[in-house]
Amino acid sequence: MTGVRTVAGVALRNAHVTRLVALTLLLVVVFSALAPTVFPTTLNFQSIAYSVPEIGLLALAMALTMITGGIDLSVVATANLAALTTAGLYIAAGGETATSPLLLVAFCAAALLVGMACGAVNGLLVSRVRVSPILATLATMQIFNGIAILWTDGEAQYGFPGTFLWLGDATIAYVPVAFLIFIGAALLIWHIVSRTGLGTRIVLVGANPVAARYSGVDERGVLMRTYLISGLLAGIAGIVIAAKSTSASPDYGGSYVLLAIVIAVLGGTDPFGGRGSVAGVVLAAIALQVLASGFNIMRLSPFLYQIAQGLILLVVMVVELRRGRLLERLRGLLTGRPG
C-alpha cells in the first residue's frame, strides 16, 4: 500500500508536466495530420528547436523571479544590452575578421557580466530599496532600452565572425547548438531550484515571506541572488539572439516580455510566488513554438496565434484551479486523512 501511495504521490506532483507533454504531442499529431508533407519533417523540427532557446531562456528568467513572488519585466532589454555588448566588442576588435576562440570566450563573458550587472540593479531595487518588483523592473526596462538606443542611435549592429555565429546556426547530431545551450541552462536552474539551499529559500520566500523571515531566511540575499541569476539568463539569451539573428538590435523582441510571462505561467509557475516547474517552462516553450510553427505552415493569421496562446493559458489556469480541491482530497486519501 505504501508503494502505491508513493507512485500516486509522484503522479500528482508531476500532473502538470504530464499535461504539457500530452498537449505538445497532441499539437504535433494534429499539425502532422493537417500538413503531413511539411510539419513532421526533420527540417521543421530543427526549425522549432532553433526558435525555442531565445524565448525559453527569457521565460526561465521570468519564472525564477516569479517563484519569489516578483517579476522581471526588464529581461528583454537586458538581453538586448548583452547582445549589443558582444557586437560592440567584436566591431572594435575587427568585426568578421576577429575569429579567435579566445575573443569568443571573452566577449561572451562580457555579455554575461552585463546581464548580471542589470540583474544586480534590479536586485538592489527590489531587495534593498524595497521597490515593488513590477515597478522596479518596469523602470529598469525603460532605462536599459534608453541606454541601448543612445548607444546605437537605434540602429542594428552587424559584424559578427563565423566563430560567434556558429552558436546560432550550428548543429550537433542534428540538434541546434542554441537548443543545447537552452537545455544546459534549464538543467542548471532545475538544480538550483530543486537541489540547493538557495532554491529552497527562493520557494519559501515566494510562498510566505513573513514565515521565511521568522525562519531566519535572508530575504534580501535571496532576492539579490535571484535577480542576478535572472540577469545571467537574460545575458545568455542575448548571446543566442545575436548569434541566431546575426545582429544586435536595441529593440529586438518587443513582444517577448508578455510571451515569457505566458510561458512561465503555462509552465506551472504561480504568479503569486512559491511554486514553479523548470521542466514545465521548457515544455511550455516547446509547445507554444510547435503551435506557432503549425500556424505558420497552415498560413493562419498571427493574430489567431495570439488568441490561441491566450485560450491555452486560460484552459490551463482553469484546470489548475478546479484541480486544487480534487488534489487535496486525493492527497488526504493517500495519507489516510481524507478532506
Side-chain angles (χ1 to χ4, degrees):
M1 184 65 180
T2 302
V4 172
R5 288 179 177 176
T6 300
V7 172
V10 171
L12 288 174
R13 289 194 297 272
N14 296 325
H16 187 83
V17 171
T18 302
R19 283 198 297 274
L20 283 171
V21 171
L23 172 63
T24 304
L25 292 176
L26 176 63
L27 290 172
V28 169
V29 170
V30 169
F31 286 121
S32 295
L34 293 174
T37 61
V38 181
F39 189 87
T41 62
T42 301
L43 183 62
N44 185 52
F45 289 136
Q46 271 191 339
S47 176
I48 292 172
Y50 273 118
S51 301
V52 166
E54 54 190 68
I55 187 58
L57 287 163
L58 295 172
L60 283 174
M62 188 71 73
L64 189 64
T65 57
M66 289 175 72
I67 293 174
T68 66
I71 198 168
D72 188 354
L73 300 178
S74 70
V75 287
V76 175
T78 299
N80 287 339
L81 268 183
L84 288 169
T85 298
T86 308
L89 290 171
Y90 265 120
I91 291 171
E96 296 179 3
T97 62
T99 58
S100 169
L102 291 177
L103 291 179
L104 172 65
V105 173
F107 295 167
C108 286
L112 298 181
L113 287 174
V114 167
M116 293 181 70
C118 293
V121 172
N122 289 329
L124 285 171
L125 290 172
V126 173
S127 67
R128 302 292 176 178
V129 185
R130 310 303 292 181
V131 179
S132 168
I134 192 170
L135 295 177
T137 58
L138 180 63
T140 55
M141 177 184 72
Q142 296 289 71
I143 292 170
F144 299 157
N145 277 336
I147 292 172
I149 292 171
L150 283 174
W151 183 2
T152 62
D153 290 328
E155 296 180 356
Q157 305 297 298
Y158 300 88
F160 292 108
T163 49
F164 178 79
L165 298 179
W166 180 86
L167 297 173
D169 60 22
T171 60
I172 297 177
Y174 298 103
V175 180
V177 170
F179 188 79
L180 295 176
I181 293 173
F182 168 53
I183 295 301
L187 289 173
L188 174 62
I189 300 305
W190 171 83
H191 176 76
I192 291 173
V193 173
S194 305
R195 295 290 185 269
T196 68
L198 174 60
T200 302
R201 292 191 291 273
I202 287 173
V203 173
L204 187 58
V205 166
N208 193 328
V210 175
R213 284 194 293 272
Y214 278 107
S215 300
V217 173
D218 179 12
E219 183 185 1
R220 291 181 175 182
V222 170
L223 291 173
M224 187 69 190
R225 291 180 178 87
T226 300
Y227 283 92
L228 277 173
I229 297 171
S230 176
L232 175 65
L233 288 168
I236 298 172
I239 292 171
V240 170
I241 287 169
K244 180 174 172 288
S245 62
T246 71
S247 66
S249 173
D251 58 356
Y252 184 89
S255 63
Y256 277 6
V257 172
L258 291 177
L259 184 55
I261 294 173
V262 169
I263 291 172
V265 176
L266 180 61
T269 306
D270 189 336
F272 298 105
R275 180 170 61 89
S277 168
V278 174
V281 173
V282 171
L283 287 168
I286 293 172
L288 286 186
Q289 191 54 50
V290 168
L291 183 66
S293 176
F295 272 51
N296 185 51
I297 288 172
M298 300 302 296
R299 297 185 178 181
L300 298 175
S301 169
F303 298 109
L304 286 176
Y305 171 60
Q306 292 180 0
I307 293 172
Q309 282 181 10
L311 288 174
I312 290 174
L313 182 60
L314 280 175
V315 169
V316 169
M317 293 302 293
V318 169
V319 169
E320 283 293 304
L321 288 172
R322 294 180 65 85
R323 173 175 165 258
R325 292 181 181 177
L326 176 61
L327 192 58
E328 289 303 316
R329 290 184 181 180
L330 288 175
R331 282 174 176 162
L333 289 172
L334 291 172
T335 57
R337 297 189 300 273

